Amino acid sequence: QVQLVESGGGLVQAGASLRLTCLASGQNFHEFHMGWFRQAPGKEREFVASINWTGERTYFADAAQGRFTVSRDNAKNTAYLQMTSLQPEDTAVYYCAAQYAGPYYAAGAYDYWGQGTQVTVSS
């Protein structure tokens, strides 16, 4: 019943910036806690960042702290992940996800997932 669609990925050089967008369907986007995860080949999905339903609280993985920001626009049913100073180790498929409740950092606690968007950072 809920669809999430990511966009904004691409191939960039080290040091570049990208902004990922997650567009959500449905009528209750404002009730979701939104998360961003990423998965590199051969690796488990890892938490990147999240934002609560009001946008007042944000959380970041250590690898993202200081370089990434997360935001949302509930009127547009949209969440964003702004990434700066990208490095090759940031290369992964990035997913947005939505949860009603649960640990913000745990992939298993999220109820809906997008299809992912590829981010590749050249060395």
Side-chain angles (χ1 to χ4, degrees), residues 9-80:
L11 174 63
V12 299
Q13 298 177 346
S17 299
L18 281 173
R19 182 170 64 186
L20 306 184
T21 298
C22 177
L23 178 63
S25 67
Q27 303 178 29
N28 299 310
F29 176 77
H30 65 281
E31 298 179 356
F32 291 123
H33 188 112
M34 299 296 296
W36 288 94
F37 293 77
R38 66 187 184 186
Q39 186 168 19
K43 304 293 185 180
E44 298 290 329
R45 272 181 295 177
E46 67 173 351
F47 169 74
V48 177
S50 69
I51 184 168
N52 83 312
W53 72 275
T54 65
E56 296 177 352
R57 295 189 292 275
T58 58
Y59 308 90
F60 298 93
D62 289 344
Q65 186 71 44
R67 296 189 298 126
F68 295 3
T69 59
V70 62
S71 60
R72 67 191 298 162
D73 187 338
N74 288 344
K76 297 180 179 179
N77 287 355
T78 303
Y80 304 93

Side-chain angles (χ1 to χ4, degrees), residues 75-114:
K76 297 180 179 179
N77 287 355
T78 303
Y80 304 93
L81 181 68
Q82 177 69 48
M83 304 183 292
T84 62
S85 300
L86 285 164
Q87 300 299 129
E89 53 264 38
D90 296 314
T91 295
V93 177
Y94 283 71
Y95 299 90
C96 70
Q99 66 174 195
Y100 295 105
Y104 65 85
Y105 54 84
Y110 283 77
D111 301 286
Y112 303 101
W113 292 84

Side-chain angles (χ1 to χ4, degrees), residues 102-123:
Y104 65 85
Y105 54 84
Y110 283 77
D111 301 286
Y112 303 101
W113 292 84
Q115 83 290 343
T117 185
Q118 177 71 47
V119 172
T120 302
V121 184
S122 65
S123 59

